[in-house]
Amino acid sequence: MTELATYNFAYLDEQTKRMIRRAILKAIAIPGYQVPFASREMPMPYGWGTGGVQVTAAVIGPKDTLKVIDQGADDTTNAVSIRAFFQKTANVRVTTRTAEATIIQTRHRIPEAALQTGQILVYQVPIPEPLRFLEPRETETRKMHALEEYGLMHVKLYEDIARHGHIATTYAYPVKVEGRYVMDPSPTPKFDNPKMHNSPALQLFGAGREKRIYAIPPYTEVVSLDFEDHPFEIQTFSQPCALCGAKGSYLDEVILDDKGGSMFVCSDTDFCEVRQEKGHRGHLAANPAEAAE
Amino acid sequence: MRAATQVFEGGFSDAVLNSQEVFRALMDAMANPGLVIPVRDLVNAPAPLQPVMAAIAATLFDHDATVWCDKAIAGSDAATGWLKFQTGLELTSTPSDAQFALIRDVDTMPSFEAFAKGTSEYPDRSTTIILQVAGFDGAEVLTLQGPGIEHTRSFAPSRLPKLFIDQWAANRAAFPRGVDLILAGKGALAALPRTTRVLKREA
């Protein structure tokens, strides 16, 4: 009797899943190209990851273990609610550990830990078209992709240099996939761009409101656009994580008081926790002996 | 009468989880060109449809899918009846209109040129050709390179279309337009998306 009261596995009906699955196969066959798909209304507002949720729902099975992150964190509203959504509708195992997950749905970060063969990274994408802010007409941007006409994007990066002395784009930094399509990596910090290149994991991108799916297969060339005299650079941080002492991870600034005090901590909460469990300590980490008392 | 009942039988026993299982095999195959992915026999379709090809059809086809079948399949009422009843697909007699093509006789299939290659604006509107082969331990070993392959990968399907190396090179040259291949063997499948380069064999 409970059968009648439950959702179809992973919420979506089977016809919708087939439609999304056909789009995913074409997206993998044409890396970086945005495949239109008939995005459905989901029980969450646009901007909350409806594209990523639909891709995950079409892909996920009972053998999968799901991890959901929002800006690197497993415990923020968006991540918690999407994780709960799939626990309820697909009854799948969930985890916060990057290494244990088979599917990782992400909003705006790539985990610090290197991804493995067989893992699937599903990105939530707000605006899939990298040329959209330069050319608002879809008919035109589609033609620009068809003709590989990406001069405008280089002009935009050049204007950054002319105005600021360096390329000021820090997130959603455009990449070229396999030497052909210019692609928006979703609003991840440019810090994460190098992780997309030759990743052993399959990367799927879902944009629900804009109705596009695109993909990067494993071991695919992903190059951030730049100039010879202004090569692509990632952000660096002058101090290590205040909790785990990690150098070289992406840090968030956390305000501590109203006197300008702040600390910098890893945005990837799982990466930070695993390091702390292994005994790494930053300068503001709680002393485990004191905490126990 | 027997043919009539065959049509209604042999579909997925669990439409939801079986199709998810087959799709994941297809997605892994497409993301890792030339990698042979095992699949269980989940359907039982009338000849000449082998279980893996029929399972792919049941996973991907519905009333939104336009499918071209070669003579061996189109000539069998039981096979087309099964496909229609189980999936609700739309059959076409023009290969260039097809989103998918089911090929049983690889030797006599039309050239890749005959199928839809998509347009420059919409390269996704191209045919995915599903070939039925005996297995993946053929005499001729191909060396593959491209997205989804770390260095190179050896691939030896038991059968390939005529002049495959040349046809595939032409298909690769038309990128981003082009057809994609799925090969359905016995208990396993593999795929060659249009991005894969087939290297000349070293003698």
Side-chain angles (χ1 to χ4, degrees), chain A residues 46-126:
Chain A
Y46 287 137
W48 283 70
T50 53
V53 165
Q54 289 179 78
V55 169
T56 301
V59 165
I60 203 165
K63 288 179 193 155
D64 281 309
T65 305
L66 179 70
K67 170 182 164 82
V68 186
I69 52 173
D70 173 5
Q71 305 273 13
D74 291 278
D75 52 4
T76 48
T77 315
N78 196 214
V80 169
S81 56
I82 291 172
R83 197 160 56 231
F85 175 78
F86 281 110
Q87 268 179 304
K88 182 171 184 179
T89 60
N91 195 25
V92 289
R93 276 189 305 274
V94 294
T95 183
T96 59
R97 292 288 139 100
T98 302
E100 288 170 13
T102 55
I103 299 176
I104 303 169
Q105 182 170 330
T106 174
R107 176 176 173 272
H108 311 353
R109 265 323 299 282
I110 300 173
E112 302 288 354
L115 298 178
Q116 306 299 318
T117 299
Q119 286 186 313
I120 302 166
L121 188 59
V122 179
Y123 295 76
Q124 303 169 195
V125 183

Side-chain angles (χ1 to χ4, degrees), chain A residues 22 26 33 59 64 142 218, chain B residues 20 24 60 121 124 148 180:
Chain A
R22 289 192 293 254
K26 283 297 176 200
Y33 166 75
V59 165
D64 281 309
R142 197 156 273 282
Chain B
Q20 191 273 337
R24 276 296 274 276
L60 294 178
E121 277 87 0
D124 57 305
D180 306 303

Side-chain angles (χ1 to χ4, degrees), chain B residues 82-111:
Chain B
W82 190 89
L83 288 169
K84 281 183 195 160
F85 177 77
Q86 303 288 343
T87 72
L89 83 177
E90 188 189 331
L91 289 173
T92 175
S93 53
T94 319
S96 60
D97 287 345
Q99 281 173 298
F100 293 93
L102 293 178
I103 311 281
R104 154 54 215 283
D105 287 326
V106 173
D107 294 330
T108 57
M109 71 176 281
S111 73

Side-chain angles (χ1 to χ4, degrees), chain A residues 82-250:
Chain A
I82 291 172
R83 197 160 56 231
F85 175 78
F86 281 110
Q87 268 179 304
K88 182 171 184 179
T89 60
N91 195 25
V92 289
R93 276 189 305 274
V94 294
T95 183
T96 59
R97 292 288 139 100
T98 302
E100 288 170 13
T102 55
I103 299 176
I104 303 169
Q105 182 170 330
T106 174
R107 176 176 173 272
H108 311 353
R109 265 323 299 282
I110 300 173
E112 302 288 354
L115 298 178
Q116 306 299 318
T117 299
Q119 286 186 313
I120 302 166
L121 188 59
V122 179
Y123 295 76
Q124 303 169 195
V125 183
I127 296 168
E129 178 51 74
L131 305 167
R132 184 60 70 233
F133 289 109
L134 306 171
E135 170 52 66
R137 288 168 296 180
E138 168 69 12
T139 46
E140 290 302 306
T141 53
R142 197 156 273 282
K143 198 152 275 167
M144 288 159 81
H145 282 294
L147 300 173
E148 219 175 332
E149 177 53 67
Y150 295 128
L152 203 54
M153 185 56 93
H154 277 101
V155 170
K156 189 226 171 217
L157 297 177
Y158 169 74
E159 283 181 347
D160 266 8
I161 296 170
R163 208 169 289 161
H164 307 286
H166 61 276
I167 298 176
T169 307
T170 53
Y171 66 94
Y173 191 103
V175 295
K176 196 167 212 184
V177 181
E178 205 55 29
R180 178 58 180 81
Y181 281 102
V182 165
M183 190 195 91
D184 183 341
S186 86
T188 52
K190 67 177 178 178
F191 181 88
D192 286 336
N193 276 18
K195 295 179 196 159
M196 307 177 91
H197 176 66
N198 271 344
S199 170
L202 169 64
Q203 303 172 72
L204 301 174
F205 298 77
R209 181 187 51 215
E210 304 292 324
K211 302 176 172 55
R212 296 289 185 274
I213 286 172
Y214 50 107
I216 303 176
Y219 304 112
T220 298
E221 183 191 79
V222 180
V223 179
S224 304
L225 299 181
D226 61 0
F227 297 97
E228 274 174 29
D229 52 345
H230 284 274
F232 172 76
E233 283 171 347
I234 61 171
Q235 292 100 331
T236 53
F237 298 89
S238 53
Q239 45 189 313
C241 169
L243 294 179
C244 76
K247 292 171 187 161
S249 70
Y250 191 77

Side-chain angles (χ1 to χ4, degrees), chain B residues 8-186:
Chain B
F8 308 119
E9 289 164 359
F12 283 139
S13 58
D14 183 332
V16 176
L17 298 184
N18 289 168
S19 58
Q20 191 273 337
E21 187 178 329
V22 176
F23 170 70
R24 276 296 274 276
L26 281 169
M27 189 173 81
D28 283 350
M30 203 54 100
N32 301 277
L35 191 67
V36 178
I37 315 271
V39 252
R40 297 189 291 151
D41 281 356
L42 293 163
V43 298
N44 185 13
L49 293 172
Q50 294 287 325
V52 173
M53 182 185 258
I56 294 169
T59 301
L60 294 178
F61 299 171
D62 54 28
H63 58 269
D64 279 341
T66 313
V67 181
W68 182 85
C69 296
D70 76 348
K71 262 189 206 139
I73 297 169
S76 158
D77 286 342
T80 51
W82 190 89
L83 288 169
K84 281 183 195 160
F85 177 77
Q86 303 288 343
T87 72
L89 83 177
E90 188 189 331
L91 289 173
T92 175
S93 53
T94 319
S96 60
D97 287 345
Q99 281 173 298
F100 293 93
L102 293 178
I103 311 281
R104 154 54 215 283
D105 287 326
V106 173
D107 294 330
T108 57
M109 71 176 281
S111 73
F112 295 154
E113 281 294 320
F115 295 97
K117 298 169 89 173
T119 63
S120 300
E121 277 87 0
Y122 292 95
D124 57 305
R125 294 178 183 172
S126 62
T127 311
T128 303
I129 303 174
I130 305 166
L131 302 172
Q132 193 159 287
V133 297
F136 299 99
D137 47 2
E140 203 181 355
V141 181
L142 305 174
T143 304
L144 310 181
Q145 224 175 32
I149 302 169
E150 190 173 9
H151 304 293
T152 59
R153 183 173 285 136
S154 299
F155 184 49
S158 57
R159 256 270 176 285
L160 278 170
K162 273 183 292 189
L163 300 170
F164 175 75
I165 303 274
D166 295 337
Q167 282 208 67
W168 191 254
N171 188 57
R172 180 72 191 77
F175 187 84
R177 300 170 69 223
V179 298
D180 306 303
L181 296 188
I182 295 172
L183 294 94
K186 278 205 172 60

